[in-house]
Amino acid sequence: MTSSQENGDDTLDELLKDKARIEELSDDEDEDDSMTGPPFPGNHLKPRRKRKSKLHPQPQRKLLEIPPWIFDTNELFHNDVKTPSRNALDKTAAECLRFLTLLDIQGLPLNSHGLPHLRRKPHADFLRFFLGPLQTGFTAMDASRPWLFYWCLAGLSFLDVDVSDYKERLIETVRPLQNPGGGFGGGHGQYSHCACTYATVLALTAVGGLDVVDRKTMWQWLGTVKQDDGGFRMAVGAEEDIRGAYCAMTIITLLNLPLELPPDAPARKGGLTSFTDKLGEWVGRCQTYEGGIGGGPSNEVHGAYAFCALACLSILDAPHISIPKYLDIDALARWLASTQTTPEGGFAGRPNKLVDACYSHWVGACFALIEAALPGMKDGLWNKAALQTGPQGGMRDKPSARPDGYHTCYSLSGLSAAQNHYWYDSKSNTTDAGSGRLLAAFNWQAKRGTADELAVLKVDEEDVVALIHPVFVLRLEAVEAARRKFEAGGL
Amino acid sequence: MPDHAEDEAKYYDDPEWADIEPIQQADQGPNPLAAIAYTDEYAEAMAYLRTVMARDEKSERVLRLTKDVIEMNPAHYTVWLYRAQVLFATHADLHKELEWLNETASQYQKNYQIWHHRQLIVSRLCPDPASSAATRGPPFPGAGIDVDSLVAKETSFVASMFDKDAKNYHVWSYRQWLVRHFGLWDKGELEFTEASIEKDVRNNSAWNHRWYVVNGKEGSEGVKEEKVREREIAFTKRQIRLAPQNQSPWNYLRGILRKANLRFSTVQDFCIEFADLSKPEGDDVFSSHALDLLADIYAVDEGRNEQAKRCLLLLKDKYDPIRANYWQYRLEMLDKEMGSGIDSHLPEHETRNLTSAVSV
């Protein structure tokens, strides 16, 4: 990656125009995304400038041992009929190969195994840049500024940067985003929205600033988006999808809001009394014939929605109880494993789509959750080493894309999932007897990979990303602080 | 996008808006995070929008204001939701709205809001297609619409969006809604999926849509019905033969077998076309997915556990080493004869899940 400081003026300008990410979910990837008008996801996929590598003469280097999936298997099946998908897949593989084989290291400093170091400072500088004053091109992010707070502050904390200094600034910034009726919108005067509220609450959790949240009105507002069928709308009158289910349960659990629906919640008319009523069943309806999870019932499988489903169920109860209760776990395990791509080693969001670094988190983080629910699990379901050798020279979708806050945050989380261990402590309580809070999501334990394991991954100690909570995607300490802060419950 | 910064104040000087006291963005402290340098025009329009929303004004001029904001920032979910309310309250011409959306959607394809908005508009135009929509419906321009012509326009517009991006998630979701709302199950939709798959046999979105068209109708048996199942299996096999290493139709085939409660061994001969293990070294493999399915077929049959193991080992060591951990897990499950990870028997909960997943 290239930090803003290292870029020349022209690339900095491009960065500014490239309004990072507007959606939570990366969904733009195919080659033909020619857009006019304001910057929009997909715009950045066309390589527009020469690589900077000529500024950094590449030393003659010996190649590392090439893992078998990079060349061997890619050759085995390629006598298939060519279609637009096949062409796009081949183009991406070709684009990534020079980095996978370390033919091109982009002038990056290398660790003791010959892989590029995780460059903490440039990554941190890059994230700080998006927290600073932003140029006019970012107007397209005006309804999703809370995501910038979350991606950047969480991402910085994953790099072990102390973000508590941002507490006062963040509190002042988000105060006008909170609506009198509860919840946070994308900006002053915007409707409260599950994604904006989730991102704001997480960012506040990261800096220890949750006092600014009005918990009572938050509870009342969430009551207005809970649906009769068990799911959640993203905002009043907006679409119902599985992001709403995960975001709402995250907010409720971190803030220890009552599970009981507010008296005037419309879903009460449908016979529901609790936020959790029919929720597991609704999540179950999002699993399709392919084994993966769609954004809503019958929609296509998608890696990011798989994470929302598993994380939501892992809030409702212990994963080995709630996941098999509502999902066909074997079919889901097969589907999740199938999303790791050859030869790149990263993950694609859907079958026959292209590898994208953000799915290192969306799919990578699923494995800790589902492995905790599979009997007899020993060595994990996925190839952690392959993710490490992926195009790590930037926190961006793929080499021809430009970096952004979204991909930086979620690539770091994906690396953490590969480098560290996460397991569920099934002996702990899943409900708090006093406040009624769901505790399952707080029972996760984590430890750093051992020296031997890191060596297998070809990672140096200094390249290890912080321990990240597998359900809430924040540092573990930040989650623990929120658990303690609202232990008493009530409103 | 025009350079709004150079424009004059649009609302402040307009007598039509003289009664509005714009609400400026609230103070965010001395050093707000990720503060955006809005153009004057955007900041002005937002200030007027805050005021009219606070007053809950629903009028013709608010329609113009919301359109103005959307054109400057189409990802602004609030303004879309508010605009829908204003359109309905003012009995605006919803056909015109659709025309405008057509232009806008082509420009901003990756946008959650625009498709939800479109769905609101179309369902308002035709809330209940089944009950003679030509005469019923709320009293506003557009009531008494020709349902068939509306459906034709919508499906062809959606099809044109797929020419730009054949896998656009929001557009496929909207297409599913059209099928559900207007009951298009038997009205050329299957042929539409076939054409989409013909264009790109690896388009997984098109496969998912086909599953929906075949199995999604409430009360329908889908592939549980023999005639439907035979047709779908034959179709899928044809597509697999075109590109054996294509995950989409293999997933579809598994889905059929499971939903219809068929033993996987019914496709054993078909799998062997792509993975003939009678050849030495396991060299005759054209599809890792065929090996995977064969492993499941052999695993149910106790006498052939060794063959199942061989399939999994070939996957792990040769044909799909990126997933070595997963195949290793399957091998261990096989050894334990726990049955987990091997979908042979169709435990009841699996069938239940898969069935409920499609009966919306």
Side-chain angles (χ1 to χ4, degrees):
Chain A
M1 79 154 262
T2 47
S3 81
S4 55
Q5 292 171 342
E6 290 170 344
N7 275 309
D9 282 343
D10 59 336
T11 46
L12 179 61
D13 188 47
E14 279 188 66
L15 274 179
L16 294 171
K17 284 193 221 149
D18 181 32
K19 46 115 241 80
R21 282 281 152 166
I22 211 144
E23 312 281 17
E24 174 194 0
L25 309 179
S26 171
D27 203 31
D28 49 294
E29 53 191 42
D30 288 334
E31 59 292 348
D32 188 17
D33 258 316
S34 49
M35 302 265 180
T36 53
F40 216 74
N43 239 356
H44 57 301
L45 295 184
K46 290 191 171 170
R48 294 179 188 175
R49 58 180 198 272
K50 293 195 170 159
R51 303 217 68 81
K52 290 181 50 183
S53 52
K54 64 179 173 187
L55 303 175
H56 299 269
Q58 304 282 316
Q60 284 292 318
R61 304 178 48 256
K62 77 177 171 71
L63 295 182
L64 296 181
E65 187 191 336
I66 303 295
W69 56 83
I70 290 189
F71 284 125
D72 301 356
T73 48
N74 209 29
E75 298 301 312
L76 284 173
F77 303 118
H78 270 210
N79 49 3
D80 282 2
V81 59
K82 296 286 178 198
T83 68
S85 291
R86 180 76 264 159
N87 295 337
L89 289 162
D90 287 347
K91 191 174 147 200
T92 298
E95 172 190 331
C96 294
L97 265 182
R98 56 189 292 106
F99 304 107
L100 292 166
T101 54
L102 301 170
L103 270 171
D104 184 347
I105 53 157
Q106 304 169 88
L108 299 171
L110 301 180
N111 71 15
S112 64
H113 305 281
L115 288 190
H117 272 299
L118 176 68
R119 295 189 314 149
R120 291 171 183 276
K121 187 171 182 306
H123 287 312
D125 289 344
F126 181 77
L127 290 171
R128 283 192 195 97
F129 165 80
F130 287 102
L131 289 172
L134 299 171
Q135 290 191 357
T136 303
F138 283 88
T139 300
M141 296 279 308
D142 190 35
S144 18
R145 268 175 77 217
W147 282 115
L148 288 177
F149 310 150
Y150 166 64
W151 295 329
C152 296
L153 292 169
L156 283 167
S157 76
F158 299 162
L159 292 164
D160 297 323
V161 174
D162 178 4
V163 292
S164 58
D165 285 353
Y166 285 98
K167 178 176 162 182
E168 291 310 319
R169 279 177 72 190
L170 180 64
I171 287 174
E172 290 311 308
T173 305
V174 302
R175 214 185 280 281
L177 276 55
Q178 186 164 218
N179 282 302
F184 291 83
H188 173 211
Q190 300 184 26
Y191 288 144
S192 291
H193 190 280
C194 278
C196 297
T197 306
Y198 165 90
T200 304
V201 166
L202 257 52
L204 287 167
T205 306
V207 301
L210 285 169
D211 284 327
V212 70
V213 179
D214 184 329
R215 292 171 61 255
K216 182 162 188 190
T217 55
M218 177 73 83
W219 174 67
Q220 287 162 336
W221 170 69
L222 285 168
T224 64
V225 291
K226 173 78 179 179
Q227 299 300 297
D228 289 1
D229 64 5
F232 289 82
R233 288 193 186 277
M234 295 305 284
V236 176
E239 66 278 6
E240 178 187 27
D241 66 41
I242 204 160
R243 296 173 307 154
Y246 165 59
C247 291
M249 288 313 297
T250 294
I251 297 158
I252 289 167
T253 308
L254 280 176
L255 300 177
N256 197 6
L257 304 178
L259 289 176
E260 193 188 355
L261 286 171
D264 53 351
R268 280 193 177 271
K269 293 202 185 79
L272 275 56
T273 57
S274 162
F275 280 109
T276 60
D277 282 350
K278 290 192 186 174
L279 180 55
E281 289 83 357
W282 190 87
V283 171
R285 286 173 58 206
C286 295
Q287 187 170 33
T288 85
Y289 70 95
E290 296 192 72
I293 313 284
S298 75
N299 285 350
E300 188 187 2
V301 289
H302 190 295
Y305 297 136
F307 176 78
C308 292
L310 287 172
C312 178
L313 293 179
S314 300
I315 292 171
L316 288 179
D317 207 338
H320 58 279
I321 302 205
S322 57
I323 295 174
K325 183 172 174 188
Y326 297 112
L327 298 174
D328 176 344
I329 191 169
D330 295 329
L332 180 55
R334 174 202 306 282
W335 187 82
L336 286 171
S338 80
T339 59
Q340 197 161 17
T341 64
T342 300
E344 298 91 350
F347 293 92
R350 300 183 252 164
N352 290 324
K353 291 275 274 179
L354 306 176
V355 68
D356 177 336
C358 74
Y359 296 115
S360 310
H361 162 73
W362 294 120
V363 181
C366 281
F367 288 106
L369 304 177
I370 196 169
E371 284 165 9
L374 282 169
M377 177 51 57
K378 277 197 322 214
D379 298 324
L381 283 175
W382 60 303
N383 190 330
K384 297 179 171 187
L387 187 68
Q388 297 294 326
T389 53
Q392 200 178 342
M395 298 306 185
R396 51 192 175 187
D397 170 346
K398 52 181 66 64
S400 62
R402 271 178 269 147
D404 57 43
Y406 168 86
H407 285 92
T408 305
C409 173
Y410 289 125
S411 300
L412 289 169
S413 171
L415 283 176
S416 175
Q419 294 165 341
N420 301 308
H421 291 282
Y422 298 94
W423 71 97
Y424 184 80
D425 173 13
S426 54
K427 292 188 197 71
S428 295
N429 289 335
T430 51
T431 314
D432 181 62
S435 68
R437 188 187 210 175
L438 296 172
L439 293 177
F442 297 108
N443 295 338
W444 286 88
Q445 310 265 326
K447 68 169 190 219
R448 285 167 73 98
T450 64
D452 288 348
E453 288 162 347
L454 293 181
V456 171
L457 300 177
K458 299 191 170 67
V459 170
D460 285 353
E461 190 64 36
E462 63 188 282
D463 299 332
V464 177
V465 180
L467 300 175
I468 298 175
H469 194 280
V471 175
F472 298 129
V473 204
L474 287 168
R475 283 179 73 100
L476 291 182
E477 314 86 270
V479 171
E480 175 58 14
R483 186 191 68 76
R484 281 200 312 271
K485 183 177 178 63
F486 300 114
E487 219 160 15
L491 286 172
Chain B
M1 186 174 180
D3 186 356
H4 297 285
E6 288 173 11
D7 289 351
E8 307 256 318
K10 205 167 175 179
Y11 301 94
Y12 187 74
D13 297 332
D14 187 342
E16 194 194 345
W17 291 90
D19 60 314
I20 297 283
E21 183 68 40
I23 301 175
Q24 301 302 332
Q25 169 151 289
D27 179 46
Q28 299 194 311
N31 200 1
L33 291 170
I36 300 166
Y38 305 115
T39 60
D40 291 344
E41 195 184 5
Y42 182 76
E44 187 198 15
M46 283 301 299
Y48 278 81
L49 182 70
R50 283 186 202 102
T51 309
V52 297
M53 284 181 63
R55 288 168 36 157
D56 201 28
E57 176 180 326
K58 287 162 181 156
S59 63
E60 171 61 26
R61 68 177 181 177
V62 174
L63 284 180
R64 292 199 303 276
L65 174 63
T66 53
K67 188 173 178 180
D68 195 24
V69 173
I70 286 169
E71 283 174 350
M72 287 186 270
N73 181 11
H76 201 304
Y77 61 87
T78 303
V79 75
W80 282 107
L81 291 169
Y82 193 63
R83 180 175 174 83
Q85 295 174 34
V86 180
L87 284 166
F88 301 154
T90 58
H91 305 298
D93 182 345
L94 299 181
H95 292 289
K96 247 190 192 160
E97 181 74 359
L98 284 179
E99 276 168 34
W100 174 64
L101 285 178
N102 286 357
E103 297 162 28
T104 314
S106 317
Q107 282 174 48
Y108 312 119
Q109 290 180 51
K110 315 279 180 173
N111 184 309
Y112 278 76
Q113 289 78 31
I114 197 166
W115 293 98
H116 180 70
H117 185 74
R118 191 174 190 103
Q119 188 175 319
L120 291 178
I121 301 301
V122 172
S123 53
R124 181 80 174 195
L125 268 174
C126 189
D128 187 6
S131 67
S132 77
T135 50
R136 295 192 196 173
F140 56 84
I145 50 141
D146 176 349
V147 179
D148 290 341
S149 132
L150 178 65
V151 168
K153 274 188 191 162
E154 286 307 288
T155 50
S156 74
F157 174 68
V158 165
S160 76
M161 291 299 291
F162 290 138
D163 292 339
K164 299 188 173 81
D165 176 2
K167 300 177 181 180
N168 187 316
Y169 203 90
H170 310 306
V171 186
W172 281 107
S173 304
Y174 180 69
R175 182 103 190 175
Q176 278 196 359
W177 177 81
L178 284 177
V179 171
R180 185 163 61 243
H181 187 71
F182 291 102
L184 307 180
W185 309 102
D186 303 318
K187 298 183 179 165
E189 200 63 9
L190 196 67
E191 292 75 9
F192 173 72
T193 68
E194 187 158 348
S196 306
I197 290 167
E198 198 170 302
K199 276 184 204 156
D200 185 348
V201 72
R202 293 180 183 83
N203 184 346
N204 199 62
S205 309
W207 283 97
N208 185 71
H209 192 65
R210 187 175 179 94
W211 181 271
Y212 184 67
V213 173
V214 173
N215 297 285
K217 188 181 179 185
E218 206 170 330
S220 101
E221 291 282 285
V223 294
K224 285 185 179 170
E225 196 182 314
E226 193 181 348
K227 220 173 84 188
V228 175
R229 176 168 68 245
E230 295 302 319
R231 182 194 70 205
E232 290 307 300
I233 288 180
F235 174 79
T236 308
K237 285 180 173 176
R238 276 203 306 282
Q239 306 308 323
I240 288 175
R241 288 194 177 104
L242 282 178
Q245 185 58 15
N246 172 13
Q247 188 188 355
S248 300
W250 287 101
N251 284 356
Y252 195 83
L253 185 62
R254 274 180 182 273
I256 296 172
L257 297 173
R258 300 173 61 144
K259 181 166 181 183
N261 232 334
L262 283 186
R263 291 180 72 86
F264 282 9
S265 56
T266 51
V267 293
Q268 179 178 322
D269 291 345
F270 177 72
C271 291
I272 289 173
E273 283 181 37
F274 309 99
D276 186 353
L277 297 184
S278 66
K279 304 279 171 64
E281 305 295 318
D283 275 343
D284 241 9
V285 174
F286 302 97
S287 169
S288 68
H289 309 296
L291 268 183
D292 181 9
L293 194 48
L294 274 178
D296 284 346
I297 291 168
Y298 294 145
V300 251
D301 199 335
E302 275 178 35
R304 296 198 291 181
N305 253 8
E306 282 309 307
Q307 276 169 292
K309 201 177 275 183
R310 186 158 169 238
C311 291
L312 294 171
L313 281 168
L314 278 170
L315 284 163
K316 180 181 166 216
D317 296 334
K318 181 166 181 182
Y319 288 102
D320 199 25
I322 188 99
R323 267 165 281 287
N325 278 48
Y326 174 71
W327 303 123
Q328 179 61 33
Y329 168 72
R330 290 267 300 272
L331 278 164
E332 284 162 17
M333 291 300 104
L334 195 63
D335 279 345
K336 286 182 189 162
E337 292 184 332
M338 289 171 64
S340 189
I342 300 160
D343 340 68
S344 46
H345 274 307
L346 300 155
E348 202 196 334
H349 78 275
E350 295 186 4
T351 324
R352 190 190 64 224
N353 269 322
L354 290 167
T355 314
S356 62
V358 294
S359 55
V360 183

